[in-house]
Amino acid sequence: MKNKMKLITAIISLSIMTAGEFSGYSIFNYDNETFSVDRAYLQYTDDLSDDLFFKLRYDVGRDSDTDGDTKLASYLKNVYVDWKNGDNSKFSIGLISMNSFGVQEKTWGYRFIAKSPVDYHKFIKSTADFGIGYSHSFGEFNTNVQIVNGDGYKKNDSDGKMLTSLRLMYGESKLNKNDGHNVGIVMTSFDGESDDDADDYSLIGLFGGWSSSGLRLGLEYNSYDYGSLTDKLTSFYLNYKMSDALNLFARHDMLNTHDDNLSSIDETTSMLGAIWSPTKGLYVSPNVVIEDDSNDYRLTFMFKY
């Protein structure tokens, strides 16, 4: 009887442990005659109840030490719950993803090729942070507001200052999966450690997207204020689905920023490539990143699991 009870307890424990879902993906790259694993994600998700969703994600990526050398390092990227408060609203509590780039990243569609424009060009300090968020939908209109530490998911809060971020959007948020359109605005504000305005920064971004009949288009404009300076970023990207296994994509970023002497400079970044998916979970992409006069030819793989 005792052995049977132990067996039943083990089965129940195993069932509880595996009630959710494990998933993730890894990015493998051949770049400049070098092979590397650039990123790996592992996450666990579970519906704890009808109103409570849980997510835990680990991020393994390249990190620099004091000597400038890079190594693979693991970080806790997300750990939070979504608590539904009615049919059209929810609270997000914990280490949450920022709302300033998620919709645009899905319209772009290829995080494993390159980060979304505001993340790629460092217009946001971090893609995740410790805090709380609230989202509410009114039909096709969605509003999302967050209050977070402002130091990102790799650091503890050091100054007691809070970052606030607001996203307003109308339309379909996942154009990489569904046909439709969207238009929206994001506004982020942070007051720095001191009374000096040099520690303050804010972001205002406008975005829009459209997807139909295998064609997906996205456009965004971002203005990033820090101290007395303002950087501006305009991005356009498109994807054409030639078949279930083959997509073609292009992206062009136009950045106006400042150098160490505070002089205004213009930079452009273009990305071209194809994505072939010969079997479920495997994506192969020959692509090129063109930054001003330099061309970076790459062969990028993504393994989804």
Side-chain angles (χ1 to χ4, degrees), residues 76-77 95-96 98 125-130 148-157 163 201:
L76 184 61
K77 182 67 174 286
L95 179 51
I96 59 179
M98 297 302 298
K125 296 297 184 181
S126 180
T127 56
D129 210 333
F130 301 87
V148 299
N149 286 345
D151 291 299
Y153 63 96
K154 297 182 181 180
K155 299 179 180 179
N156 289 324
D157 182 51
L163 180 148
Y201 63 85

Side-chain angles (χ1 to χ4, degrees), residues 213-215 239-249 274-275:
S213 303
L215 180 64
N239 178 82
Y240 180 64
K241 184 178 181 180
M242 298 190 66
S243 68
D244 290 340
L246 184 62
N247 287 261
L248 304 178
F249 69 86
I275 297 176

Side-chain angles (χ1 to χ4, degrees), residues 259-288:
D259 59 19
D260 294 338
N261 297 319
L262 306 184
S263 299
S264 177
I265 56 174
D266 293 320
E267 299 176 353
T268 60
T269 303
S270 298
M271 304 175 190
L272 301 168
I275 297 176
W276 176 49
S277 180
T279 188
K280 182 180 179 180
L282 175 61
Y283 300 84
V284 183
S285 175
N287 61 92
V288 58

